[in-house]
Amino acid sequence: MKIKTKDYVVRPGKKVDLKDWPTKVKPYFDSKEEYKDVLEKHVKRLEEMQELLYGANKYALLVVFQGMDAAGKDGAIRHVMSGVNPQGCEVASFKQPSADELEHDFLWRAEQRLPGRGRIGIFNRSYYEEVLVLRVHPELLAAEGLGNALRDEKEIWEGRYRSINGLERHLDRNGTRIVKFLLHLSKEEQRRRFLARIDEPDKNWKFSMADIRERQYWPKYMQAFEACLEATSTRHAPWYAVPADDKLNARLIVSEIVVEAICELKMGYPKVTGKRRAELLEIRSQLEK
């Protein structure tokens, strides 16, 4: 079945109510074997396009993953990017800011990890934490050293949305293609995954009491995501709300969207000049001797 990626894009300027967005859709595969086959094709295509991206050295690709705990961000990154050359791809995870990072503006630490031309950057969580977690827990703003006037909750979020949109527009103008994923998980599926992390010893390390505490704020997180998606899904940096209750299906959707995004870039390998061609022929002659 063809994956219609446009079904998952958050239209710029449209109001977002996540209750209207599914957390599970009909699978794009009929068997586990078919899933593996489709994902393998996507991974192979992405591998080919990443090599072209690296060779052309004109563009960069930034892929942002956001979602509630246990939404499947790590698994999506691991499976979708499995065929990409590590030399051309870097994954950055953004957790609690360090003391040094708190001395700078909220975008600074992410700017240090942006991909250069020819490379793919993966953000496992991102600067969007600053309008998600901090909106749910505004008391954390005090650690950022902002003056009282700058912490006005009536203005700070709109200001941060403008800063984010400005950064992403700037990156787009300078050759960085941006794709953003919200792995949209239901609260019930999160509960099941948390139980699995407790029941399976190999997954115990993934679970903490903090995860349970954050579940209490589920409605506030949904409101924060809705406001964020409404304000920051743009033509040049769109958000995709991907149904995440089915991990396998989510990976196929994500991989299809990433492949489409990189294929849309107008790229080609550097053309060989007459002088360079003559040099190569001379080298070939010497090697044949």
Side-chain angles (χ1 to χ4, degrees):
M1 189 192 325
K2 172 66 176 174
I3 299 175
K4 297 179 180 179
T5 58
K6 291 183 179 180
D7 290 347
Y8 306 107
V9 68
V10 177
R11 305 294 177 185
K14 298 293 184 180
K15 185 169 179 59
V16 177
D17 185 340
L18 285 176
K19 292 192 295 293
D20 296 334
W21 290 77
T23 60
K24 191 171 185 177
V25 295
K26 183 178 179 180
Y28 290 102
F29 57 93
D30 294 324
S31 66
K32 191 72 173 286
E33 289 69 27
E34 185 180 3
Y35 155 75
K36 291 179 179 178
D37 182 58
V38 175
L39 183 62
E40 184 178 347
K41 289 178 181 177
H42 288 176
V43 170
K44 179 63 177 176
R45 182 60 173 153
L46 184 57
E47 180 184 8
E48 295 169 351
M49 294 307 298
Q50 188 258 340
E51 184 175 352
L52 177 58
L53 179 75
Y54 192 81
N57 199 37
K58 299 295 183 184
Y59 298 96
L61 178 67
L62 175 61
V63 184
V64 174
F65 286 90
Q66 293 287 159
M68 296 295 287
D69 291 326
K73 297 180 291 296
D74 292 344
I77 293 169
R78 185 169 63 253
H79 286 82
V80 173
M81 309 307 295
S82 60
V84 173
N85 188 332
Q87 290 184 316
C89 180
E90 182 178 0
V91 179
S93 296
F94 294 92
K95 300 185 185 297
Q96 185 175 343
S98 67
D100 182 44
E101 289 167 344
L102 288 171
E103 292 297 318
H104 297 80
D105 69 90
F106 79 96
L107 290 171
W108 181 81
R109 65 172 180 159
E111 290 173 332
Q112 314 307 304
R113 305 298 298 274
L114 290 170
R117 283 191 300 274
R119 301 179 65 83
I120 297 174
I122 310 292
F123 281 4
N124 186 349
R125 300 189 187 274
S126 66
Y127 43 87
Y128 280 100
E129 294 291 279
E130 297 284 341
V131 293
L132 295 170
V133 174
L134 270 72
R135 187 156 189 170
V136 174
H137 299 287
E139 66 276 8
L140 297 176
L141 285 167
E144 297 191 351
L146 300 174
N148 290 334
L150 297 177
R151 300 208 312 264
D152 183 349
E153 289 191 44
K154 294 181 180 180
E155 298 184 7
I156 188 170
W157 310 121
E158 292 302 322
R160 290 194 168 191
Y161 295 146
R162 288 196 298 272
S163 294
I164 289 171
N165 286 337
L167 171 66
E168 292 178 345
R169 189 70 185 94
H170 167 74
L171 292 174
D172 179 72
R173 283 195 298 266
N174 287 274
T176 296
R177 178 80 167 88
I178 304 169
V179 181
K180 303 175 296 194
F181 294 107
L182 165 62
L183 296 186
H184 187 29
L185 184 73
S186 69
K187 191 175 183 180
E188 173 58 21
E189 179 60 22
Q190 187 197 58
R191 184 184 71 86
R192 286 194 287 264
R193 293 182 187 180
F194 280 173
L195 288 172
R197 289 181 177 183
I198 295 171
D199 294 340
E200 299 178 34
D202 290 346
K203 293 184 177 181
N204 287 172
W205 65 273
K206 287 187 173 185
F207 189 74
S208 71
M209 287 303 299
D211 298 331
I212 289 296
R213 286 194 294 269
E214 289 304 286
R215 272 177 65 83
Q216 302 173 20
Y217 299 98
W218 190 278
K220 289 188 176 181
Y221 272 110
M222 294 303 104
Q223 292 171 3
F225 274 116
E226 289 168 350
C228 174
L229 268 59
E230 286 179 16
T232 62
S233 190
T234 60
R235 179 192 59 78
H236 52 270
W239 275 105
Y240 292 86
V242 176
D245 282 6
D246 182 336
K247 290 182 180 181
L248 305 188
N249 216 33
R251 291 167 191 167
L252 293 185
I253 297 170
V254 167
S255 59
E256 177 77 13
I257 293 170
V258 173
V259 168
E260 281 186 2
I262 199 169
C263 285
E264 287 173 358
L265 300 175
K266 306 300 182 182
M267 296 185 295
Y269 288 109
K271 293 183 178 180
V272 178
T273 64
K275 180 179 179 181
R276 178 58 176 162
R277 183 61 183 165
E279 290 177 349
L280 292 173
L281 291 174
E282 176 60 25
I283 293 171
R284 179 185 182 87
S285 176
Q286 293 181 25
L287 290 171
E288 288 177 340
K289 291 178 182 179

